[in-house]
Structure formats: C-alpha cells, structure tokens
Amino acid sequence: MTHWRALIVLGTAQFLMVLDTSVMNVSISQLVEDFDTEVTAIQAVITLYALVMAAFMIVGGRFGDILGRKRMFLLGLAVYATGSALTAVAPELWVLALGWSVIEGLGAAMVLPAMAALVAENYRERDRAVAYGVIGGLAGAGIAVGPLLGGWVTTYLTWRLVFAGEVVVVVAVLFCHRVIEEAPRAGRRPRLDGVGAALSAAGLGLGVLGVLQSGTWGWVQPRNPPFTVLGFAPTLFVVAAGVAVLAVLAHWERRRDAQGADPLVHLALLRRPVLRAGLLSLLSQNLILLGLFFTIPLYLQVVQGFDAFETGLRLLPVSVTMLVASTVGSRLGRVAGPRRLVRVALAALAGAVVWLLATIDPVIDDAQFAGAMALLGVGMGLLASQLGNVVQSGVAEEERSEAGGLQFTAQNLGSALGTALIGSLLIGALAHAFTTQVENDPRLSEEARRQTGIALEAGITFVPTEQVRSAAERAGLPAAEVDAVTDSYASAQLDGLKAAILAAGGITLVSFLVTPPLPSRSQPSGVGAPAEPRPTP
C-alpha cells in the first residue's frame, strides 16, 4: 500500500477538478435562481472555467519544467483552494466567475500537467499503466460523486458547501506532499516564452468566445449581436481571428525553436501520429461528455422539473458505469489494445446517443433513460482508461510536463467547446423550432405572432414553460393563445435538446477518423518515445 500513497495524493487532485464541473452542471437551475440570472450566463461561467484551463494548461506545463513539477503541483493546489474559498462565499455572479472560472481554472492549469508528469515519474512499466487507469477511475469517481453529492447538498443545504469542503481536502493533500517523489533535474531549466503564452491564450479565447456567443449572435444572420461585420453576425469573424492568432503562434514557435530559444511548446511533438491521435481523442471525449452533461441536466431540471438531487440520482448510472469501466479498462487495454478499445468506446457512445434521442419525451421513461446513461458511462470510462497512458507513452521522460500540458489543453479545450458549441446549437435549434411552431400554429393570431417575434428578436433562452406562460399572460394574450404559445415553446424545447444530442452523436462518429494511428497493442509504459533532437543555444 505504501507504494501507492503518491497515487492517492495525486489522484485526489484529479478527483477535485472533475467534481467541480459535475457539481456545477446539476446545480444550473439553483445557480440561475441564486444569482437572478439566465441559463446562458451560467453556461458562460462553466465555459470560462474550461477555457481558462485550456488557455493556460500549456503554460502550466512549461512552468512545471521551470520551477519543478512537485513545486508547481503544490503551488497550483494553493491557488485552487483560494478560488474554492472565494466561490463558496460569492455574493454576485461576477465573483463566482472570478473565484471558480478564473482562479480555480488557473490553479487547475498549474496542477494537472504536473500531476500527469509526476504519475509517470513515480511509477514505471506496468505500474504506470495501472496508475493512469486509476487516474481515469478517479475522474469517473468525480463524475459519479459530483451529481449525487452536488445534487443533495444543493437541494437540502447549499452548493457553497461543496467548495468549502474542497478547501479542507486541498489542505489535507498539502500536508501529505512528502509521499510524492521527484528526481533532481539535470541540465539547465528552460525559460518561459511570454509571447507564445499570450498568443496561445488569445487564440484559444477568441475561438471559444465566438462559439459560445453563436447562440446569441447567430452564426451568419445576425440575431442579437453587439455589432455586425459587413451586415453579418460577428461569430465566424471572431472564430477566424482566433484561428489566425493560433497560426501566428505556430509561426512564432517554429521560429524560436529554429533559433535555439525555448518555445512554449515544441510543435514537433504534434507530428507524432500516436500522440496527435491521443490528443484529438481526448478533445472529442470531453467535447461529447461536457456537451451532454450541459444538455441533459437542462432536460431533467427545466423540462421535467426535477431538483438538483433528483437530477443527480438520474445521472448516477453514467457515473457508476464510468467508474467501473475506467477501472477495468486498463486491464482490457493490455489484452485488446488501445485502438480497439477506443473504437468500442466510441461505438458505445454512439449507441447511447441513439438511445437518448429515443427517450427525450415530455414524460421521462426512467428505465430507458437509466439504460442510455449506463451505456454512456461505459463508453466514457473505456476512453478515460486508455488515452492518458497513450499520450504519456508517446513521449520521452524529459517531455512529460510538456505532454501533460498538451493532454489537459486538449481535454479542457474539448470541455469548453462542448459546453459552448452544444449549448449554442441547443439555443439555436430552440429559437428556430419555436419560430416555426409559432408561424404554423393556426390557434395564434397575427398580433400574437408579432409579439412573439418581437420577444424572439430580443433573444431566447432555455426556461421552464411556466415562465413563457407568464410572459404571454403579461403581454395580454387571450387564454387560448397563451396555451398555444406555451405548447409551441414546450415542443421547441424537445426539438432543441434532440438537436444538441444529435450533434454530440455526429462528433462521436467523426471521432472514429482519428483512431487509426492509435497503437494496436498496449505500449510499454516505462519507456517513452525517444526525444527528437532540438537546437541547442
């Protein structure tokens, strides 16, 4: 047991990072009420958390090389605890965003790359594969405990207690730091590429911002943007600006590498097929998972009217099966190989999406929904058991932190895009379906259609149908037309949810295209890929 004490400490950090997001997802309705805001605002807070992590994860990995991985791990935990404490007492939405999205996000960006490198440094050969399987299992445990714990605490006490409890756990982890080993660093320490760090954060930030705001701004035809570009919505222009900044980053990094200076990230790493396939698989995994975990709680809480605890109970099957599959998957991977197991996982996810589409009805079928959730957990758990070890097995020992930064950048970029893109598609499909329903409903007069159109131009959000009914009554519509508008919105809600889930299914199918370079057999976990020669100053 002594041999695994370091893994317990390191894995606890992974558990906390996952716990946060799952608690937030089941508490959406309560957060909307507590901060007197809308679903889209909470969506923005959740997306910002993942975006901050994605934007600064590579920087965090580089600081691990500069300051030492263990020191960076402990410093990041202290920053994370500060953010948790601020979140626990947040009086306003902007304080919640500062504490959770920004400070905790920065803390996580410091912790996770160092954690991935320290796992690889503390364990060798078969133990390393087991360790990464356990890390995946603890991620599953975070998802398992998050909805249930967060739901119960939110419903019967307050969601703030979860974040206060995180502070206590972090303090306990800091007291146990001596069990983590780190070999003395040989050679000179690299320097931080400040320009590269700024370009990385700006490029990723602009790209995700454009996707996040697409539901409000519109993709092409302007819906409700703060400005237009040549008469078009600014969304695609903002995304294009982000891509352009990332292109400048790539040029800058190649130039620094050629000059013998320390780049933010060695782009040569991305030319390794196995590593690239592992990173793309991680991105798609989190895009699908976080997209669905934003969409499904809305269905349970807003459409079905369940409270946070009831929502957590209905998400329990995905949590349990993900925990089991991620734990068992590390053994299966040694027999079947990562490529085959990842493909089985994607097939399970595709099946879960089809099953989910069949269960999105005005009245939930609990048995069918539980089956779909369980299958979703199996797919996610099998993916989690393989991809971390695939990424770390594709690099040499001195590249661990850098690979860890890329690994968690891919994961959190997927999380940010999942919440932003799937949430945007949900709102867009809701608006389109509601508009179509209102235009084609013979029960509505021209005046009712006109007033509804004016309301749609001001923006639409995902709210309980009773709020739509109250708004229609305040507008002075007759009782029959109030019923018609409410029915149209209820039908549009289901159409929007199905469109969002279908989009997640499409991403799942596309993900098969990145699996061919994955290893067909389990790679030796004690030896990474040889480091490519780099210019020396």
Side-chain angles (χ1 to χ4, degrees), residues 128-183:
R128 182 178 292 169
V130 172
Y132 278 113
V134 171
I135 290 293
L138 287 168
I143 293 175
V145 173
L148 204 57
L149 173 64
W152 185 85
V153 172
T154 299
T155 301
Y156 298 108
L157 299 169
T158 171
W159 53 268
R160 299 175 187 275
L161 285 179
V162 175
F163 295 93
E166 285 187 344
V167 178
V168 176
V169 174
V170 168
V171 171
V173 170
L174 291 173
F175 274 113
C176 299
H177 70 91
R178 294 183 184 278
V179 303
I180 303 172
E181 296 179 2
E182 182 181 24

Side-chain angles (χ1 to χ4, degrees), residues 44-61:
V45 171
I46 294 172
T47 301
L48 180 60
Y49 175 65
L51 174 58
V52 168
M53 285 197 286
F56 292 98
M57 202 66 71
I58 296 176
V59 181

Side-chain angles (χ1 to χ4, degrees), residues 17-37:
M17 311 296 154
V18 176
L19 179 72
D20 254 10
T21 303
S22 57
V23 168
M24 280 294 187
N25 280 331
V26 297
S27 304
I28 289 173
S29 293
Q30 189 60 51
L31 290 166
V32 168
E33 181 180 334
D34 286 356
F35 293 103
D36 190 23
T37 186

Side-chain angles (χ1 to χ4, degrees), residues 511-537:
S511 299
F512 277 97
L513 299 177
V514 306
T515 60
L518 292 174
S520 58
R521 287 183 292 182
S522 184
Q523 292 178 299
S525 297
V527 181
E532 297 184 7
R534 296 171 181 165
T536 55

Side-chain angles (χ1 to χ4, degrees), residues 380-459:
M380 285 298 171
L382 291 177
L383 283 177
S385 71
Q386 299 302 303
L387 298 179
N389 196 45
V390 165
V391 170
Q392 288 290 330
S393 295
V395 297
E397 293 295 334
E398 62 270 23
E399 299 168 328
R400 297 289 182 202
S401 290
E402 198 166 348
L406 290 171
Q407 174 182 338
F408 287 102
T409 296
Q411 284 188 215
N412 289 288
L413 183 58
S415 299
L417 289 175
T419 306
L421 179 61
I422 301 299
S424 167
L425 290 173
L426 186 152
I427 297 298
L430 170 66
H432 180 267
F434 189 33
T435 301
T436 303
Q437 293 275 354
V438 168
E439 288 177 351
N440 297 332
D441 195 326
R443 296 175 293 175
L444 293 174
S445 64
E446 286 302 321
E447 176 61 20
R449 292 191 179 96
R450 187 186 69 81
Q451 291 192 36
T452 304
I454 292 173
L456 282 169
E457 288 178 2

Side-chain angles (χ1 to χ4, degrees), residues 126-127 129-130 329-338 341 386 521-522:
R126 180 168 293 188
D127 283 351
V130 172
S330 59
R331 295 182 180 178
L332 293 177
R334 292 199 294 271
V335 177
L341 208 60
Q386 299 302 303
R521 287 183 292 182
S522 184

Side-chain angles (χ1 to χ4, degrees), residues 4 50 70 87 109 183 217 248 297 305 317 348 383 394 434 453 473 502 517:
W4 298 106
K70 182 175 177 179
T87 302
W217 296 349
V248 173
L383 283 177
F434 189 33
E473 289 172 345
L502 185 61

